[in-house]
Amino acid sequence: MSKILIRKGRLIDPLQGLDAEKDILIEKGKIKAIGDELFELEAQIIEAKGLIVCPAFVELHAHLRDPGQEYKEDLESGSRCAVAGGYTTVVCMPNTSPPIDSPETAKYIIHKAEKVGLCRVLPAGTLTKGRKGHELSDFYALKQAGCVAFTDDGSPLMDSKLMEKALELTAQLGSFVMNHCEDDRLAYGHINDGYVSSLTGLASRPASAEDLLVARDCVLAYRTGGHIHIQHLSSSLSVDIIRFFKEKGARITCEVNPYHLLFTEEELLRSYSRAKVNPPLRKEEDRKALLEALKDGTIDCVATDHAPHAPHEKGLLERAMPGMIGLQTALPMMLSLVREGFISLKKMIELMSCAPSRILRLEDCGNIKEGSKANLVLFDPDKEWMLEEGTNLSKSKNTPLWGKVLKGKVLYTIFEGRMVYRDVQ
Ligand code: DOR
């Protein structure tokens, strides 16, 4: 395996409190040395002056659509998007076809992703068999097969008794539950209950649908001692509920999607069905509460909820499938919050790499130290580019950011010592 010498990059590792210009030597998949004037004759040199070098990002929530919906994405195209976005570990959601509710499907994903070889893909297993919400999956068998968490994402688990049991059982296995929190009796519509739904008359998905299930799951996590991870948080009241239960010591973690941090429901008027996502884009007061919660630590991490759909599935707003692609755009979106002064670069890296690694209890990512696996990203925070034909590596294009100028670009991604992405433009 070849050696790589990264010269004079600005190395930021929040875990070690490091922010300094350094050289990094990578050998045999690991960080061999971090220093000031490293020299290695045989190494491939990356001149990184002016670039940020940090632990590669870790994605807790991506829909890679494989098996079953490979016309939207597959493990190869999904892996390409991931590494182009700076991610070397990706948790893929189980709403595939068939769903990831058997060890065979979990193993298929792990083996295919290993064959692709660009990044590590870790499957989340379903919470319930067939994602039907009636009978819990065999968590033990799925964990043995490599599943790292359990969720019926795309749908909530409505049955409180099953959720209680799921929290108890996953805790016994040292694992956790992720839930898509929207009460489906209330959230049967398409967009937020607000300005755009009154303008268009479209059926809505109110924030109260999210708040109710967030509250229930927090109560159950508090009572059982199980670990709940709340997916794609979008409502201000849900933030308050989580803050309250975290203070009481419940084992709760949560993620936010960059789209919910940057956009409100009014984006629907500009981007139409491209801005349709579940839970929906909400009001400015929700967006502000999410930003506050990022700062004060109530929100643990950022996850993209990369959700590819084909053009024919993104037509009429009321028929369009919810979701946006996000693996390649997360970095520029988060950097825009850094530039506006909402968060520091260090905090951004914590949210995109250290915290998700911690939630998954992975020790081989989320930090940069001598002897550890070399999972790194190098990015130029100021480079401008567009997501368009030629740069987009997804099979899908469903994002409001299509064709817009983005600032901040991954230039190199290194996975276990191998350069798996290099920006060629
Ligand atoms: O917008 C969404 N799309 N939200 C989800 O929870 C599921 C996802 C999908 O699978 O397309």
Side-chain angles (χ1 to χ4, degrees), residues 79-132:
S79 298
R80 287 196 193 289
C81 295
V83 295
Y87 294 87
T88 58
T89 298
V90 176
V91 176
C92 66
M93 291 296 109
N95 59 342
T96 46
S97 183
I100 312 174
D101 64 356
S102 72
E104 291 71 33
T105 310
K107 283 184 191 155
Y108 157 83
I109 289 169
I110 293 169
H111 292 154
K112 184 166 173 189
E114 277 172 4
K115 243 192 192 160
V116 171
L118 291 171
C119 64
R120 173 169 56 174
V121 177
L122 303 170
T126 61
L127 256 183
T128 62
K129 291 185 180 158
R131 295 180 61 249
K132 293 198 167 85

Side-chain angles (χ1 to χ4, degrees), residues 51-73:
L51 303 185
I52 309 291
V53 182
C54 69
F57 304 140
V58 175
E59 166 66 307
L60 273 186
H61 189 154
H63 298 269
L64 301 184
R65 309 297 192 206
D66 189 350
Q69 294 184 316
E70 291 88 348
Y71 65 97
K72 302 181 195 230
E73 201 76 286

Side-chain angles (χ1 to χ4, degrees), residues 89-254:
T89 298
V90 176
V91 176
C92 66
M93 291 296 109
N95 59 342
T96 46
S97 183
I100 312 174
D101 64 356
S102 72
E104 291 71 33
T105 310
K107 283 184 191 155
Y108 157 83
I109 289 169
I110 293 169
H111 292 154
K112 184 166 173 189
E114 277 172 4
K115 243 192 192 160
V116 171
L118 291 171
C119 64
R120 173 169 56 174
V121 177
L122 303 170
T126 61
L127 256 183
T128 62
K129 291 185 180 158
R131 295 180 61 249
K132 293 198 167 85
H134 303 311
E135 197 184 340
L136 292 181
S137 302
D138 183 343
F139 299 141
Y140 178 76
L142 288 171
K143 183 162 189 261
Q144 291 290 100
C147 291
V148 292
F150 300 93
T151 174
D152 280 352
D153 181 51
S155 314
L157 175 54
M158 288 301 300
D159 185 323
S160 304
K161 189 70 200 157
L162 280 188
M163 180 54 91
E164 182 183 56
K165 195 83 200 146
L167 284 164
E168 285 167 358
L169 290 174
T170 51
Q172 282 165 18
L173 292 174
S175 188
F176 62 105
V177 173
M178 300 169 137
N179 200 18
H180 176 134
C181 290
E182 278 188 294
D183 183 324
D184 55 17
R185 299 298 298 272
L186 289 172
Y188 54 84
H190 311 282
I191 58 177
N192 187 43
D193 183 20
Y195 172 62
V196 185
S197 67
S198 19
L199 207 67
T200 57
L202 281 175
S204 68
R205 310 175 72 85
S208 51
E210 179 174 335
D211 305 332
L212 284 171
L213 278 209
V214 167
R216 180 206 65 178
D217 287 356
C218 288
V219 169
L220 290 176
Y222 178 64
R223 292 289 181 200
T224 60
H227 174 185
I228 186 77
H229 176 81
I230 310 284
Q231 300 183 287
H232 39 46
L233 196 61
S234 71
S235 139
S236 65
L237 186 57
S238 290
V239 167
D240 291 338
I241 294 165
I242 290 171
R243 192 178 283 118
F244 174 82
F245 278 97
K246 277 191 162 189
E247 274 166 20
K248 287 185 81 67
R251 290 175 68 204
I252 300 166
T253 52
C254 59

